[in-house]
Amino acid sequence: MNNLKKILTSGIVVSLLLAMALMFSACGGPATLEEYINSDEDAKASIEALSTSGMTVDVTDNTLTYTYTYSQTFDQATADLMKPELESAMESMASTFEGVADTLEEGSGIDDITVRVIYEDAAGTELFSEDY
């Protein structure tokens, strides 16, 4: 669970940095967050820099997705035990991710932006996901 805290903390810090970068570089025009990111080289580089070993960041339409991938696979029983722990951890982080979505909306001028967080194992089996 300590590893989970490190991942969550780094994700939040990076999210806030990205949100601030987008807020200061907003120029209006694009219809979606994806178009906005693709039209701004600094924002695009910031998104690409967020992806690290164990975490990828993607933007599709108006959704910014963080995918945290464990380096091991889990059997169904273990996955079932992990889900409530992940739900609890993410519940305490909800306001942070909602704040990131709000900041992205303010900075880009685009409404209805969603921040999605996904946890999966090494085989790509989804353990948990939530939209903010």
Side-chain angles (χ1 to χ4, degrees):
M1 216 24 80
N2 194 19
N3 194 21
L4 174 64
K5 288 181 184 178
K6 287 180 185 177
I7 291 173
L8 288 174
T9 302
S10 66
I12 291 168
V13 170
V14 171
S15 298
L16 294 174
L17 290 173
L18 169 67
M20 288 171 46
L22 288 174
M23 185 172 72
F24 291 117
S25 64
C27 59
T32 67
L33 182 62
E34 182 177 15
E35 289 175 9
Y36 178 81
I37 296 296
N38 288 333
S39 69
D40 185 311
E41 288 302 316
D42 290 334
K44 191 173 183 176
S46 294
I47 291 290
E48 290 170 358
L50 293 175
S51 293
T52 63
S53 177
M55 181 182 80
T56 58
V57 181
D58 301 289
V59 178
T60 305
D61 295 323
N62 283 340
T63 302
L64 175 73
T65 303
Y66 294 95
T67 303
Y68 298 97
T69 305
Y70 286 93
S71 60
Q72 66 268 28
T73 57
F74 302 104
D75 61 27
Q76 189 59 50
T78 302
D80 290 343
L81 290 172
M82 291 175 72
K83 187 169 183 165
E85 295 296 323
L86 290 168
E87 286 175 348
S88 177
M90 294 310 297
E91 190 174 296
S92 69
M93 307 291 288
S95 63
T96 300
F97 288 111
E98 290 164 354
V100 170
D102 291 342
T103 302
L104 289 170
E105 286 180 358
E106 290 172 20
S108 66
I110 298 168
D111 293 329
D112 300 321
I113 292 177
T114 300
V115 174
R116 177 173 293 144
V117 178
I118 301 171
Y119 284 88
E120 62 184 24
D121 70 7
T125 302
E126 186 176 293
L127 303 169
F128 174 81
S129 69
E130 187 70 40
D131 287 351
Y132 302 95

